[in-house]
Amino acid sequence: MLTIHTDTKIHKMSKDNAPVATAKSGDTIRFETLDCFGCQLSSEEQHLGGLDWNNINPATGPLFVEGAEPGDVLKVEILSIELDDHGVMVDGPGEGVTGAAVTEESTKILPVKDGMVTFNEKLSFPICPMIGVIGTAPAGEAVDTGTPGAHGGNMDCTRIGAGATLYLP
């Protein structure tokens, strides 16, 4: 099985991106991915304000599919999603649904084990792994990977997980 590693990340979906690998229709490909912060946060002492925002929402690839042409539709089957042993949660004033109640930035590294993420000794939640960024190169101008559109992009949709089939132009 072909594996595409995270050292080939992109931040724009573009027809000008050179493919890092080639596959045939029906091939199974393993993509290694980074989190939405590009794995920039590795400790609870790091915060949103210290992020390089040019490295947000990276996508691994791109992959060239032999025989695919403009106007075709690609069928992508998500067979499985394997997670790291931890996740990252951030918060800050004005950010997200709790931002109005938050006075300072915070980062929390959360352990992931046996299908659960642990917030603290009393609170844990089941996980629902999903693909955040996936897509094809748009025919026109390049699009930031953080921007959703007809080409895919940053969809953050919990339905795009293991067992899902996604159709992309």
Side-chain angles (χ1 to χ4, degrees), residues 9-13 17 38 54-59 143-146:
K9 67 183 177 181
I10 58 169
H11 292 95
K12 290 192 180 291
M13 303 280 189
N17 290 336
N54 291 317
N55 285 313
I56 300 298
N57 290 315
V143 178
D144 288 336
T145 52

Side-chain angles (χ1 to χ4, degrees), residues 64-140:
F64 179 79
V65 179
E66 288 182 5
E69 298 181 9
D72 289 349
V73 174
L74 298 180
K75 177 183 177 182
V76 179
E77 296 174 327
I78 311 299
L79 302 178
S80 66
I81 299 175
E82 298 170 22
L83 299 179
D84 205 342
D85 63 356
H86 68 279
V88 178
M89 182 188 83
V90 297
D91 207 351
E95 300 292 335
V97 296
T98 62
V102 175
T103 58
E104 61 185 42
E105 292 184 349
S106 67
T107 299
K108 188 165 181 70
I109 306 295
L110 302 167
V112 176
K113 184 176 179 183
D114 299 327
M116 301 292 285
V117 61
T118 301
F119 185 79
N120 59 31
E121 60 280 345
K122 295 181 180 181
L123 192 57
S124 61
F125 302 94
I127 55 173
C128 181
M130 66 177 188
I131 304 296
V133 175
I134 188 170
T136 58

